[in-house]
Every structure is written in structure tokens, then in C-alpha cells.
Amino acid sequence: MKQVIFLGAPGSGKGTQAKLLVADCGFNHLSTGDLLRAEVAKESELGLKVKNIMENGELVGDDIVLELLKINCDLTGSQYLFDGFPRNLAQAKALDELVLGGTESVAVYLDLDLDVLLERLVNRRTCGDCGAIYNLVHSAPKVAGTCDKCGGSNLLHRDDDKALAVSKRLAVFKNTITPVLEYYEQKGNLRRIDASQNMDQVLVQMKETLGC
Ligand code: AP5
Ligand code: MG
């Protein structure tokens, strides 16, 4: 049983594919972004510390995120899908050394041209009640403003999906991804998926890659 690590730019489809794979293949989805947003929503001490950093599209400190990851992850008998961690080389090494130990893993890079991402992100809406992800252009809810999955009417536009924060997030991604890809390439467990295809096509390729 291999642990799965999703790598990919903001808007590349990590969350979307993770939710589809949880439904079809039974992974535990662990998104550091979701965990951090939950802290912000609770206005916890941690949430208050990271709120501005996230809204500005910058990375939260490695130690904070690693701690959050560790307390939300129990690998015993479970297959995790790590979404949004690691973001840099230090996190990639920490994941191996402090979380995965000797457990086998595969890193899947959702690869696509960054030019399409601004459009995906400014049109994203997320259900504040059940977490379902929509896109007003590519996968709009059937009834505008209402979640198809839970019927809630709390479809949110993330604070960091405004154009300025998106540009910052994409710049951060470009500056940090290369050593991470090289790290997994050298370990021999990097797989690449063409994430410019539509969601169903990406899912098919994902399942082939993960054998589920
Ligand atoms: P995080 O929540 O991880 O955000 P991200 O990596 O920027 O990725 P996104 O969630 O924006 O995109 P996604 O790839 O999940 O795309 P999605 O499936 O939603 O992190 C947020 C912030 O938290 C960071 O900026 C940082 O501050 C902090 N943080 C988190 N982890 C951290 C860490 N490890 N270290 C430090 N700081 C950390 O899809 C996007 C849109 O596209 C949706 O509308 C969707 O419907 C649409 N879409 C998806 N797939 C397709 C497709 N194939 N075709 C067309 N549209 C599609
Ligand atoms: Mg996401």
C-alpha cells in the first residue's frame, strides 16, 4: 500500500482529483490548505497567525504545517493522499523522515501550463458546508449558488483566489517546485499526469497510475 503525494500548481486540480479518488478508491484525503483554512475559520491562535500569510498567497512556515500534518495523520492501516504537502525541498525531506518513515510512496505531479490557472481559480467556488469544489465555467453547480452534493447555499470564493494573491501563489510555486520534482525523480517514484485534460480524463489517467 503506497502513500500518495500530490504535487501541482495552485488550481492544477489536486483537490478535485483527491475528492474523486476518495469516493472511488477510498483514500484518506489530507490537504494542508484545508487544515489551515479550518484553523482560520475557527479563529484559533494558529489561524490568526496564518490568516494574512495565506491571503497574501505566501507559504506558511514549514514547522507549523508539519506539526499540523503530523497531528492529523495516522498511517496505521491507512492509505493517505497528501494534497498540498510538500511545497518545498525541506518539506519533502521532512515528510519522508518524520511522517512516512519507511512507508512506500508515489509522488504524482499534475502537470499543466500555468497560463490556464488564473481562469480556473478566479472561477472556483467551494461549498463551505461539505467542501465540494465547483468551477463557474467548467463544472458549475446545477442550480446557481446551491451545492449539488449537500444542497447548502454557502458557495464560497476563497480569499486567496483573487487575482493578486493568485499571481503571488503561482510565483511561489514556480520558485519552489523544481527541487521537489528532482527529489522524487531521483528516488524513482515521480509520475506525471497531463492535468490540462478535462476532469474525467485526468481521473482515468490517475487511476491507471495509482492502480485503483
Ligand atoms: P492549498 O489549499 O493547498 O492551495 P493550492 O496548492 O494553491 O491549490 P488549490 O487548492 O488552489 O488548487 P487545487 O490544485 O486543489 O485545484 P482544485 O482542484 O481546487 O494552499 C492554500 C494556502 O495554504 C497556500 O497558499 C499556503 O499559504 C498555505 N499552505 C498550504 N499547504 C502549505 C504547505 N505545505 N506549506 C506552507 N503553506 C501551505 O481546482 C481549481 C479549480 O479548477 C476549481 O474550480 C476546479 O473545479 C477546476 N478544475 C479542476 N480540475 C479541472 C480540469 N481538469 N479542467 C478544468 N477545470 C478544472
Ligand atoms: Mg486544493
Side-chain angles (χ1 to χ4, degrees):
M1 185 170 61
K2 287 185 183 171
Q3 306 299 329
V4 179
I5 300 159
F6 269 3
L7 305 172
S12 56
K14 303 182 296 294
T16 300
Q17 292 299 320
K19 285 177 198 301
L20 294 169
L21 286 168
V22 166
D24 288 5
C25 308
F27 289 96
N28 288 334
H29 178 204
L30 207 158
S31 155
T32 44
D34 287 349
L35 293 175
L36 288 164
R37 277 185 290 280
E39 295 295 323
V40 172
K42 277 193 288 192
E43 300 186 346
S44 67
E45 197 180 323
L46 172 62
L48 294 174
K49 206 189 270 183
V50 301
K51 185 174 190 291
N52 284 341
I53 300 173
M54 293 177 72
E55 277 178 12
N56 290 334
E58 287 159 13
L59 291 182
V60 172
D62 292 347
D63 290 351
I64 293 180
V65 189
L66 183 63
E67 202 46 42
L68 197 58
L69 184 82
K70 281 201 281 190
I71 58 177
N72 283 284
C73 171
D74 177 4
L75 293 182
T76 325
S78 301
Q79 191 172 22
Y80 275 85
L81 203 162
F82 295 95
D83 162 4
F85 193 101
R87 301 294 254 253
N88 55 34
L89 186 57
Q91 290 187 8
K93 290 182 177 170
L95 180 61
D96 271 345
E97 287 159 19
L98 305 174
V99 180
L100 295 181
T103 319
E104 269 197 287
S105 63
V106 57
V108 181
Y109 179 45
L110 287 88
D111 194 1
L112 81 172
D113 190 336
L114 300 191
D115 293 347
V116 302
L117 295 177
L118 178 63
E119 190 247 10
R120 279 195 190 183
L121 290 172
V122 295
N123 289 305
R124 170 167 54 190
R125 297 293 181 272
T126 307
C127 176
D129 297 326
C130 75
I133 301 170
Y134 297 93
N135 188 282
L136 299 182
V137 177
H138 302 285
S139 57
K142 292 189 183 80
V143 178
T146 301
C147 178
D148 295 348
K149 302 242 161 57
C150 74
S153 53
N154 190 19
L155 296 190
L156 306 172
H157 190 202
R158 266 170 50 177
D159 285 330
D160 62 350
D161 277 349
K162 313 230 158 78
L164 198 61
V166 168
S167 306
K168 178 72 192 173
R169 287 160 63 204
L170 292 174
V172 168
F173 173 77
K174 280 191 220 165
N175 288 336
T176 48
I177 188 63
T178 305
V180 178
L181 293 177
E182 285 169 358
Y183 177 77
Y184 289 111
E185 195 112 58
Q186 276 162 20
K187 280 167 63 90
N189 63 348
L190 181 68
R191 307 285 177 270
R192 289 171 191 267
I193 288 206
D194 175 5
S196 67
Q197 307 170 93
N198 72 39
M199 293 170 202
D200 293 339
Q201 291 167 324
V202 177
L203 182 63
V204 168
Q205 210 184 330
M206 199 57 97
K207 286 181 174 175
E208 274 169 21
T209 302
L210 298 176
C212 69

PDB file of all heavy atoms in Angstrom, residues 192-205:
ATOM      1  N   ARG A 192       4.036  11.634 -13.748  1.00  0.00           N
ATOM      2  CA  ARG A 192       3.471  12.897 -14.250  1.00  0.00           C
ATOM      3  C   ARG A 192       2.135  12.630 -14.921  1.00  0.00           C
ATOM      4  O   ARG A 192       1.999  11.649 -15.651  1.00  0.00           O
ATOM      5  CB  ARG A 192       4.415  13.524 -15.288  1.00  0.00           C
ATOM      6  CG  ARG A 192       5.675  14.081 -14.675  1.00  0.00           C
ATOM      7  CD  ARG A 192       6.667  14.493 -15.770  1.00  0.00           C
ATOM      8  NE  ARG A 192       7.965  14.781 -15.193  1.00  0.00           N
ATOM      9  CZ  ARG A 192       8.373  15.992 -14.814  1.00  0.00           C
ATOM     10  NH1 ARG A 192       7.590  17.037 -14.993  1.00  0.00           N
ATOM     11  NH2 ARG A 192       9.555  16.163 -14.267  1.00  0.00           N
ATOM     12  N   ILE A 193       1.198  13.529 -14.690  1.00  0.00           N
ATOM     13  CA  ILE A 193      -0.127  13.390 -15.304  1.00  0.00           C
ATOM     14  C   ILE A 193      -0.442  14.680 -16.042  1.00  0.00           C
ATOM     15  O   ILE A 193      -0.158  15.772 -15.535  1.00  0.00           O
ATOM     16  CB  ILE A 193      -1.162  13.105 -14.204  1.00  0.00           C
ATOM     17  CG1 ILE A 193      -0.927  11.684 -13.719  1.00  0.00           C
ATOM     18  CG2 ILE A 193      -2.577  13.334 -14.690  1.00  0.00           C
ATOM     19  CD1 ILE A 193      -2.066  10.983 -13.138  1.00  0.00           C
ATOM     20  N   ASP A 194      -1.004  14.546 -17.224  1.00  0.00           N
ATOM     21  CA  ASP A 194      -1.365  15.735 -18.001  1.00  0.00           C
ATOM     22  C   ASP A 194      -2.655  16.322 -17.412  1.00  0.00           C
ATOM     23  O   ASP A 194      -3.762  15.856 -17.702  1.00  0.00           O
ATOM     24  CB  ASP A 194      -1.566  15.335 -19.471  1.00  0.00           C
ATOM     25  CG  ASP A 194      -2.052  16.500 -20.307  1.00  0.00           C
ATOM     26  OD1 ASP A 194      -2.147  17.634 -19.769  1.00  0.00           O
ATOM     27  OD2 ASP A 194      -2.346  16.290 -21.502  1.00  0.00           O
ATOM     28  N   ALA A 195      -2.497  17.362 -16.586  1.00  0.00           N
ATOM     29  CA  ALA A 195      -3.634  17.930 -15.865  1.00  0.00           C
ATOM     30  C   ALA A 195      -4.378  18.980 -16.676  1.00  0.00           C
ATOM     31  O   ALA A 195      -5.283  19.636 -16.163  1.00  0.00           O
ATOM     32  CB  ALA A 195      -3.150  18.523 -14.536  1.00  0.00           C
ATOM     33  N   SER A 196      -4.021  19.129 -17.965  1.00  0.00           N
ATOM     34  CA  SER A 196      -4.762  20.086 -18.805  1.00  0.00           C
ATOM     35  C   SER A 196      -5.995  19.424 -19.423  1.00  0.00           C
ATOM     36  O   SER A 196      -6.843  20.083 -19.996  1.00  0.00           O
ATOM     37  CB  SER A 196      -3.864  20.615 -19.918  1.00  0.00           C
ATOM     38  OG  SER A 196      -3.549  19.569 -20.811  1.00  0.00           O
ATOM     39  N   GLN A 197      -6.102  18.098 -19.277  1.00  0.00           N
ATOM     40  CA  GLN A 197      -7.276  17.392 -19.814  1.00  0.00           C
ATOM     41  C   GLN A 197      -8.497  17.701 -18.944  1.00  0.00           C
ATOM     42  O   GLN A 197      -8.360  18.271 -17.855  1.00  0.00           O
ATOM     43  CB  GLN A 197      -7.032  15.879 -19.751  1.00  0.00           C
ATOM     44  CG  GLN A 197      -5.742  15.417 -20.400  1.00  0.00           C
ATOM     45  CD  GLN A 197      -5.483  13.947 -20.077  1.00  0.00           C
ATOM     46  OE1 GLN A 197      -5.862  13.084 -20.846  1.00  0.00           O
ATOM     47  NE2 GLN A 197      -4.871  13.668 -18.951  1.00  0.00           N
ATOM     48  N   ASN A 198      -9.676  17.282 -19.413  1.00  0.00           N
ATOM     49  CA  ASN A 198     -10.832  17.533 -18.553  1.00  0.00           C
ATOM     50  C   ASN A 198     -10.783  16.608 -17.320  1.00  0.00           C
ATOM     51  O   ASN A 198      -9.996  15.670 -17.267  1.00  0.00           O
ATOM     52  CB  ASN A 198     -12.161  17.454 -19.329  1.00  0.00           C
ATOM     53  CG  ASN A 198     -12.525  16.033 -19.720  1.00  0.00           C
ATOM     54  OD1 ASN A 198     -12.320  15.091 -18.950  1.00  0.00           O
ATOM     55  ND2 ASN A 198     -13.060  15.860 -20.915  1.00  0.00           N
ATOM     56  N   MET A 199     -11.638  16.906 -16.332  1.00  0.00           N
ATOM     57  CA  MET A 199     -11.532  16.218 -15.030  1.00  0.00           C
ATOM     58  C   MET A 199     -11.662  14.697 -15.156  1.00  0.00           C
ATOM     59  O   MET A 199     -10.969  13.951 -14.475  1.00  0.00           O
ATOM     60  CB  MET A 199     -12.626  16.717 -14.091  1.00  0.00           C
ATOM     61  CG  MET A 199     -12.441  18.160 -13.693  1.00  0.00           C
ATOM     62  SD  MET A 199     -13.891  18.770 -12.844  1.00  0.00           S
ATOM     63  CE  MET A 199     -13.679  20.516 -13.124  1.00  0.00           C
ATOM     64  N   ASP A 200     -12.571  14.246 -16.037  1.00  0.00           N
ATOM     65  CA  ASP A 200     -12.778  12.802 -16.177  1.00  0.00           C
ATOM     66  C   ASP A 200     -11.547  12.136 -16.785  1.00  0.00           C
ATOM     67  O   ASP A 200     -11.151  11.039 -16.374  1.00  0.00           O
ATOM     68  CB  ASP A 200     -13.997  12.521 -17.079  1.00  0.00           C
ATOM     69  CG  ASP A 200     -15.282  12.983 -16.425  1.00  0.00           C
ATOM     70  OD1 ASP A 200     -15.289  13.135 -15.190  1.00  0.00           O
ATOM     71  OD2 ASP A 200     -16.274  13.203 -17.147  1.00  0.00           O
ATOM     72  N   GLN A 201     -10.957  12.810 -17.776  1.00  0.00           N
ATOM     73  CA  GLN A 201      -9.755  12.232 -18.404  1.00  0.00           C
ATOM     74  C   GLN A 201      -8.598  12.180 -17.401  1.00  0.00           C
ATOM     75  O   GLN A 201      -7.853  11.200 -17.363  1.00  0.00           O
ATOM     76  CB  GLN A 201      -9.353  13.067 -19.625  1.00  0.00           C
ATOM     77  CG  GLN A 201     -10.341  12.966 -20.780  1.00  0.00           C
ATOM     78  CD  GLN A 201     -10.100  14.037 -21.839  1.00  0.00           C
ATOM     79  OE1 GLN A 201      -9.729  15.172 -21.547  1.00  0.00           O
ATOM     80  NE2 GLN A 201     -10.310  13.664 -23.092  1.00  0.00           N
ATOM     81  N   VAL A 202      -8.476  13.233 -16.606  1.00  0.00           N
ATOM     82  CA  VAL A 202      -7.406  13.229 -15.599  1.00  0.00           C
ATOM     83  C   VAL A 202      -7.638  12.072 -14.621  1.00  0.00           C
ATOM     84  O   VAL A 202      -6.704  11.351 -14.259  1.00  0.00           O
ATOM     85  CB  VAL A 202      -7.334  14.572 -14.838  1.00  0.00           C
ATOM     86  CG1 VAL A 202      -6.271  14.531 -13.750  1.00  0.00           C
ATOM     87  CG2 VAL A 202      -7.050  15.730 -15.789  1.00  0.00           C
ATOM     88  N   LEU A 203      -8.896  11.878 -14.238  1.00  0.00           N
ATOM     89  CA  LEU A 203      -9.205  10.812 -13.272  1.00  0.00           C
ATOM     90  C   LEU A 203      -8.837   9.438 -13.831  1.00  0.00           C
ATOM     91  O   LEU A 203      -8.283   8.593 -13.113  1.00  0.00           O
ATOM     92  CB  LEU A 203     -10.689  10.853 -12.880  1.00  0.00           C
ATOM     93  CG  LEU A 203     -11.119   9.826 -11.837  1.00  0.00           C
ATOM     94  CD1 LEU A 203     -10.411  10.047 -10.502  1.00  0.00           C
ATOM     95  CD2 LEU A 203     -12.631   9.851 -11.630  1.00  0.00           C
ATOM     96  N   VAL A 204      -9.120   9.213 -15.102  1.00  0.00           N
ATOM     97  CA  VAL A 204      -8.789   7.920 -15.719  1.00  0.00           C
ATOM     98  C   VAL A 204      -7.274   7.693 -15.638  1.00  0.00           C
ATOM     99  O   VAL A 204      -6.796   6.627 -15.217  1.00  0.00           O
ATOM    100  CB  VAL A 204      -9.276   7.871 -17.191  1.00  0.00           C
ATOM    101  CG1 VAL A 204      -8.695   6.669 -17.919  1.00  0.00           C
ATOM    102  CG2 VAL A 204     -10.795   7.843 -17.244  1.00  0.00           C
ATOM    103  N   GLN A 205      -6.529   8.728 -16.019  1.00  0.00           N
ATOM    104  CA  GLN A 205      -5.064   8.596 -16.005  1.00  0.00           C
ATOM    105  C   GLN A 205      -4.557   8.402 -14.568  1.00  0.00           C
ATOM    106  O   GLN A 205      -3.629   7.643 -14.304  1.00  0.00           O
ATOM    107  CB  GLN A 205      -4.447   9.850 -16.633  1.00  0.00           C
ATOM    108  CG  GLN A 205      -3.130   9.563 -17.321  1.00  0.00           C
ATOM    109  CD  GLN A 205      -2.469  10.832 -17.856  1.00  0.00           C
ATOM    110  OE1 GLN A 205      -3.141  11.790 -18.226  1.00  0.00           O
ATOM    111  NE2 GLN A 205      -1.153  10.825 -17.871  1.00  0.00           N
TER     112      GLN A 205
END
